[in-house]
Amino acid sequence: MEYFVNLVASGLVAGSVYAMIAMGFAMIYRATGMLNFAQGELMMLVAYIAFGLASTFGANLPVLLAGVFVAAILLGLLIERVFIRPMMGEPMFSRVMVTIALAVVIRGVTILIWGQEPYAMPRLLGTELIRIGPVSFYPAQVWTLVMVAVLCVVTWVFFNRTRFGVVMRATANSESTALLMGVNVRLVSAVAWAVSACFAAAAGLAFAFMFSVEPDMSSMGLRAFPAAILGGLDSVLGGALGGLVIGVVENLAGGYLGRGLKEIAGFLLIVVVLMVRPYGLFGQRHIERV
Amino acid sequence: MKRKTFKVAGAALAALIAGAAAAQDVGVTDSEILIGEVLMLSGPAAFIGKSAAAGSKLAAAEINAAGGINGRKLKVLYEDDGYVPARSVSAMRKLVDVDKVFAVTGTTGGSGVTAVLPVLDDAKVPTIVHVAPNPTVLNPRRPSIFMIGPDYDLAAYQSIRHAVEKMGKKGAKFGLIYQNDDYGKSVLKGYQQAMKDFGLNSVAELPYQRGAKDFSAEALRFKSAGVEVLYLGTVIAEAGGILSESRRLNAEMTVLGNWAAGLPATIRLTAPSGYDYLFNDYYAALTDPAGQKFVESAKNHLSADEVASLSRYAVSGYVAMKVMGEAISRCGKAVTRPCVIAELGKLKDFSTGGLSGPISLDNPAGHAVPALKLFQVDTKTSSVKALTDFATK
């Protein structure tokens, strides 16, 4: 039993990173109806910025958090203004291609500045193990779990209890109707990108503190994509749950089956779930009368 | 008399022409010998390529500073393939067909090495493979291509042998984690051979997919299987992941690895876990006496950026260029590809001044398998110390 509990606990930790990236995917999809394939690269870039602040400038934790989230918001706004807004009204395919190009650019620039070698993030969160029942956690792992929980609560409140959240939902439902109703769609798009970048920042920080800072970490974007699909692409909270589920399933597969099945277990789960619920666990079912 | 003088002059001219022809094979002039290298100077393995390039540049600079090889200076041309096999082939074609290099001492890594071999074989270019030594380079045997470096199976076998014979781990439970590719399979082969030859108890052999980040399940499996000696068939960042998770589970283990575990980047990532693991390498550490001398020479000949890039791969590039230089020098003034290939094939116990064990290519495979040296990581200082000298056992 202890073995099972440990697998589930560490699966939740690993899944937390997927969850935060998936929330970023869903945030943009929900507000603008498009997929951002640069989410993993955005996460990587912010992690490098965090690494730079901590190692080069010796930032302590509060300064680091403030710096990273401010940088993420600015990055999100900049990307939206420079790359996304000019594409408004263009075919979805073109808009998605822009995000793919953006991913390549971010990756290239990051490597240009920091190089290819992996780095260890300064241990600002401490190294003393925290024991919860039969499971020991590093402080960074607990921090990651808490971060996901906080993001979920804030997201729920934002979408259900704030006027702007309702406006974003309305825009996602029908952009043209929202425009006719006087909604500032440009602002909605800008806020969605800024918030999505904050999700990427949280994921990047979690990854950096738990593993390392390296260009290859951007691949987590694609690894987290099934989490977004599983939860439902238009459900931010669904993305979070999808990430956690995939993390646990992968770990259970690794712990009980092995043979390298860990990495494909999440994708197998997606295939099965989508056959039953093509719109994901929490996605909205679109019905058209013909 | 006139006729005799004419004959002598004619013979002398013919000898001169013949001599000049012999001395001016492709890529060789009276003053210069062109050497080519295709390396991953950008892309995910750039730190290896840049380091290897710095090493070969240093060797060439030292040779040239000492007057060159029989009066000819070495000139090295570098091409970047970005660690993409298709680019490796076009870069090598450029070096061989357009730049017309005489020899090649850098052949990139991964599957790029295999991709460039036909180009080199067709043109019969004297070649030394050293960045990514793997059995496919020499199988089938291509007469102009030589390789320096043991395969990963030998590295695994030798360090497990050390654990058994010198550290008393005969009765321990062994475990292995390996990347699910050619590299990992080579490690697995050596590990399993050691298990068989020494009668050891292997309780877990876990593969992982390239790019894996989270190793919590694997660490838990090792812990629950009671692994006491863990062999790392990992590349760089994965070693940090598996050891960090093992420490979280309070797993007390002796940890072994190969030279990938001894790279500075790997040590940076593994140091917080506190495992003072062992790894072996066939090149000296830069902190060894020979390594320090190497670094000092680099400071005299290379730029600050190049000095900063030095690692075991720089030693690798250096040794390969020195070996090629030795074979060329043995040909005297008549530097031809067939002569250099023949001299490479005769090379025996070539000394690298302590940077490695003696290099011998005088075997049917054309494969130098230098002796391995064991090191231990000191996690407190993130440094390495040598435990043994270069030894075959």
Side-chain angles (χ1 to χ4, degrees), chain B residues 307-330:
Chain B
V307 171
S309 76
L310 296 182
S311 71
R312 69 171 301 283
Y313 290 101
V315 177
S316 186
Y318 179 90
V319 167
M321 186 61 78
K322 286 280 182 167
V323 166
M324 184 62 83
E326 175 67 16
I328 294 172
S329 75
R330 289 183 185 186

Side-chain angles (χ1 to χ4, degrees), chain B residues 193-356:
Chain B
Q193 190 63 47
M195 295 297 114
K196 189 178 159 194
D197 288 359
F198 305 124
L200 305 176
N201 179 20
S202 175
V203 294
E205 296 167 12
L206 305 182
Y208 69 88
Q209 300 289 343
R210 189 187 287 209
K213 305 294 173 203
D214 171 55
F215 290 92
S216 50
E218 288 81 357
L220 201 56
R221 285 187 73 174
F222 287 133
K223 169 80 175 173
S224 67
V227 168
E228 295 164 290
V229 181
L230 176 66
Y231 192 88
L232 298 173
T234 50
V235 183
I236 298 180
E238 301 86 0
I242 186 74
L243 294 186
S244 171
E245 282 299 305
S246 298
R247 180 58 69 203
R248 181 172 72 83
L249 299 170
N250 198 25
E252 283 309 320
M253 304 180 296
T254 298
V255 181
L256 309 169
N258 58 41
W259 43 91
L263 291 171
T266 313
I267 294 171
R268 273 202 303 269
L269 296 174
T270 52
S273 69
Y275 288 98
D276 288 344
Y277 60 83
L278 283 74
F279 70 92
N280 52 13
D281 196 349
Y282 50 98
Y283 289 126
L286 297 180
T287 48
D288 289 349
Q292 287 176 342
K293 207 173 148 191
F294 175 80
V295 174
E296 282 310 308
S297 177
K299 285 177 183 168
N300 292 331
H301 292 289
L302 303 180
S303 70
D305 278 353
E306 287 164 338
V307 171
S309 76
L310 296 182
S311 71
R312 69 171 301 283
Y313 290 101
V315 177
S316 186
Y318 179 90
V319 167
M321 186 61 78
K322 286 280 182 167
V323 166
M324 184 62 83
E326 175 67 16
I328 294 172
S329 75
R330 289 183 185 186
C331 290
K333 278 285 181 188
V335 179
T336 63
R337 282 175 171 171
C339 174
V340 171
I341 291 166
E343 289 300 334
L344 282 171
K346 285 189 261 179
L347 196 77
K348 185 170 177 62
D349 291 340
F350 175 70
S351 171
T352 59
L355 287 173
S356 72

Side-chain angles (χ1 to χ4, degrees), chain B residues 35-77:
Chain B
I35 309 284
E37 299 206 347
V38 174
L39 292 168
M40 47 287 208
L41 302 174
S42 63
F47 73 97
I48 293 175
K50 285 179 180 171
S51 193
S56 64
K57 191 174 174 185
L58 174 61
E62 283 183 1
I63 290 168
N64 291 341
I69 299 174
N70 297 318
R72 293 186 176 99
K73 299 286 174 75
L74 292 182
K75 184 179 177 187
V76 191
L77 301 180

Side-chain angles (χ1 to χ4, degrees), chain A residues 1 18 41-42 76 87-88 109 115 158 161 164 169 194-197 202 209 217 225 236 259 285:
Chain A
M1 189 61 186
Y18 294 151
E41 279 70 17
L42 201 52
M87 296 297 292
M88 258 186 188
V109 169
F158 176 73
R161 293 285 182 271
F164 198 81
R169 285 164 60 193
V195 174
S196 177
F209 279 126
M217 66 193 285
F225 193 66
V236 181
R259 296 173 180 273
R285 186 175 195 166

Side-chain angles (χ1 to χ4, degrees), chain A residues 98-116:
Chain A
V98 167
T99 69
I100 291 173
L102 187 63
V104 175
V105 170
I106 292 176
R107 194 179 164 83
V109 169
T110 307
I111 291 168
L112 210 64
I113 298 172
W114 283 282
Q116 291 279 0

